[in-house]
Amino acid sequence: MDGLVTNIALIAGVGGGGVSRHTLILTGVAGLVAGAISMGLGEFTSVRTQNDQVAAELAKELRELQLNPEGEADELVAMWTARGLPVPLARQVADVLKAHPEQALRVHAQEELGVVPDELPSPWTAAVSSFVCFAIGAVVPLLTYLLGFDSLLAALVVGGAGLFVAGAVIARFTARPWWRSGLWQLLLGAAAAGATYLIGTLIGVGVS
């Protein structure tokens, strides 16, 4: 979706300025590469930072388990009983975990941090997937120009169709009707393209 919206808006903007087909393709490809790299690096940094934060919290939690096992067990009992677990059962489970530090750390991580220590996301997987997905989306509005056509309207129609399809696919993971999700994404992309087209037209007229 990011690649689609970004390059549709970029192409609309430079196309509105009246540039040549070659310049428009160059701009679109540059936007694709720059955007994909930016998305990949940003996702890598974000996930790695998140993992580093989790690792720091886990190290802190492990120290607390070693220094104050009774207090940590009491925390688990309090959380479980607040959810409706009987106090004797909660206490029994917490006491058993005290004898197994690794499992205790895993449980504390899930209960307090909401993470599973050995199932943290991979920064490389996140980076590569973001790079590829952005590039795929960004190439869609360029297809007509790459195939030899010289029509901004055709490029925008193809890009709009891509937005609608992407929105419809997203609807499979929500309760929203597919056509409504598709139209919503199409409207968002159209708003972005309309704004950049207006800017491109104004700048193009001013330059000429």
Side-chain angles (χ1 to χ4, degrees):
M1 193 63 67
D2 288 334
L4 271 166
V5 174
T6 297
N7 247 17
I8 288 173
L10 182 60
I11 289 172
V14 295
V19 301
S20 66
R21 172 175 170 270
H22 178 269
T23 301
L24 197 147
I25 292 176
L26 176 61
T27 302
V29 172
L32 184 157
V33 174
I37 291 175
S38 176
M39 288 292 292
L41 290 176
E43 198 67 18
F44 180 88
T45 301
S46 175
V47 173
R48 187 175 66 175
T49 300
Q50 178 182 338
N51 288 352
D52 289 343
Q53 290 175 333
V54 170
E57 290 294 330
L58 290 175
K60 177 183 177 182
E61 195 65 40
L62 181 59
R63 287 194 301 270
E64 293 176 353
L65 284 169
Q66 294 169 340
L67 296 174
N68 186 22
E70 292 295 336
E72 293 299 304
D74 290 341
E75 286 185 7
L76 288 179
V77 172
M79 286 188 289
W80 288 337
T81 54
R83 297 177 186 174
L85 200 66
V87 175
L89 180 57
R91 173 58 63 183
Q92 182 181 4
V93 176
D95 288 341
V96 170
L97 285 174
K98 285 192 297 184
H100 301 83
E102 291 185 1
Q103 288 299 322
L105 179 61
R106 183 184 180 89
V107 172
H108 276 275
Q110 289 179 281
E111 295 292 339
E112 298 182 23
L113 305 178
V115 298
V116 180
D118 53 358
E119 295 182 7
L120 296 178
S122 166
W124 286 106
T125 299
V128 171
S129 62
S130 293
F131 181 96
V132 171
C133 289
F134 186 97
I136 291 174
V139 79
V140 171
L142 279 174
L143 287 175
T144 55
Y145 286 102
L146 294 175
L147 292 175
F149 296 94
D150 189 11
S151 169
L152 176 61
L153 178 60
L156 294 179
V157 168
V158 171
L163 283 170
F164 184 86
V165 171
V169 171
I170 290 174
R172 296 185 59 185
F173 305 97
T174 68
R176 182 179 300 179
W178 63 270
W179 57 268
R180 183 178 298 175
S181 180
L183 285 176
W184 176 247
Q185 297 300 333
L186 179 59
L187 287 174
L188 292 178
T196 54
Y197 180 82
L198 178 61
I199 294 172
T201 301
L202 292 174
I203 293 177
V205 171
V207 171
S208 61

